[in-house]
Amino acid sequence: MHISTPKKDIDRILFTREQLADKVHELGEILTEEYKDKLPIVVCILKGASFFYIDLCRELKCHINLDFIDVSSYGNGTSSSGVVRMIKDLENNIEGRHVLLVEDIIDSGVTLSHLRKLLSARNPASIKICCLLDKAGAHAKELEPEYHGFEIGNEFVVGYGLDYAEYYRNLPYIGVLKPEVYAD
Ligand code: IMP
Ligand code: MG
């Protein structure tokens, strides 16, 4: 990692702060309607979803419980290892509860299909996925999240929680890195 600023490594911005805020507000309205009588457990999939999750929770105008889970499917590269490892489990018992999983991005779908299977075995009343970004075309149709923000092409993006080698998460927008960053 060379010493620069995250911003200098960005080739182009895909979604600005304002576009992200508008989308999160829109999702918040839909999800409030869906969950207003359900007292859901809203689950943040760490660490990538964290910025989106906090903003989304603030847009939910109904009672919710918060919980956090951490799994890892990526090494420090830009393609999925296909192996999902549990790093931190939920604190809540989800049996009989409505669960909303909040994820940053669905690429191959390995992470989300693994999590959905794992958590379904605990007999929740329902389990749905809200994903900010969907790399459509990269995964099977049956892995489609129930709610998503934006569809993007098959490129590697960073910012608003998304990382490259654990950096760039703190950028307030989502962008594409300059190719030379990967070459370093
Ligand atoms: P999947 O298991 O292939 O669907 O990958 C999902 C996980 O990989 C996400 O939770 C992200 O952490 C990471 N990921 C996939 N694509 C990107 C990307 O373009 N930028 C940053 N992280 C990504
Ligand atoms: Mg992630």
Side-chain angles (χ1 to χ4, degrees):
M1 171 64 43
H2 55 266
I3 304 302
S4 172
T5 65
K7 188 180 169 189
K8 283 190 183 127
D9 291 341
I10 296 297
D11 192 39
R12 72 199 155 85
I13 295 178
L14 270 191
F15 304 110
T16 64
R17 262 183 120 120
E18 293 71 27
Q19 287 173 307
L20 291 167
D22 286 351
K23 186 56 80 177
V24 173
H25 177 76
E26 193 185 300
L27 285 168
E29 286 190 331
I30 296 166
L31 291 166
T32 297
E33 191 52 34
E34 170 68 26
Y35 287 103
K36 63 183 181 214
D37 307 315
K38 295 189 173 150
L39 302 176
I41 300 178
V42 184
V43 175
C44 175
I45 304 175
L46 294 168
K47 294 177 265 208
S50 57
F51 290 64
F52 173 46
Y53 176 79
I54 297 294
D55 286 346
L56 185 65
C57 286
R58 277 192 284 228
E59 295 287 347
L60 295 176
K61 311 299 182 204
C62 54
H63 285 299
I64 62 169
N65 288 151
L66 275 61
D67 210 335
F68 299 83
I69 197 167
D70 194 0
V71 294
S72 144
S73 70
Y74 267 39
N76 272 351
T78 59
S79 68
S80 186
S81 66
V83 180
V84 178
R85 190 164 55 94
M86 172 78 73
I87 296 164
K88 184 212 168 294
D89 204 341
L90 297 174
E91 283 176 24
N92 287 269
N93 176 3
I94 62 169
E95 189 174 350
R97 301 288 304 273
H98 293 278
V99 175
L100 178 66
L101 294 177
V102 179
E103 177 60 312
D104 51 0
I105 188 165
I106 178 165
D107 184 5
S108 69
V110 169
T111 310
L112 280 173
S113 67
H114 176 88
L115 262 183
R116 205 200 273 271
K117 217 180 296 163
L118 184 101
L119 298 180
S120 295
R122 300 178 187 178
N123 298 316
S126 72
I127 179 159
K128 290 189 176 185
I129 293 169
C130 177
C131 201
L132 179 63
L133 304 176
D134 188 341
K135 283 190 187 173
H139 55 84
K141 266 273 166 283
E142 58 270 22
L143 296 172
E144 216 65 68
E146 282 79 5
Y147 307 94
H148 73 232
F150 302 101
E151 279 194 4
I152 63 169
N154 196 11
E155 54 191 346
F156 196 82
V157 297
V158 296
Y160 196 57
L162 291 145
D163 73 304
Y164 170 65
E166 291 297 330
Y167 287 98
Y168 306 101
R169 293 191 194 275
N170 56 325
L171 282 170
Y173 47 79
I174 291 176
V176 179
L177 285 176
K178 292 177 179 162
E180 57 263 34
V181 176
Y182 301 111
D184 278 1

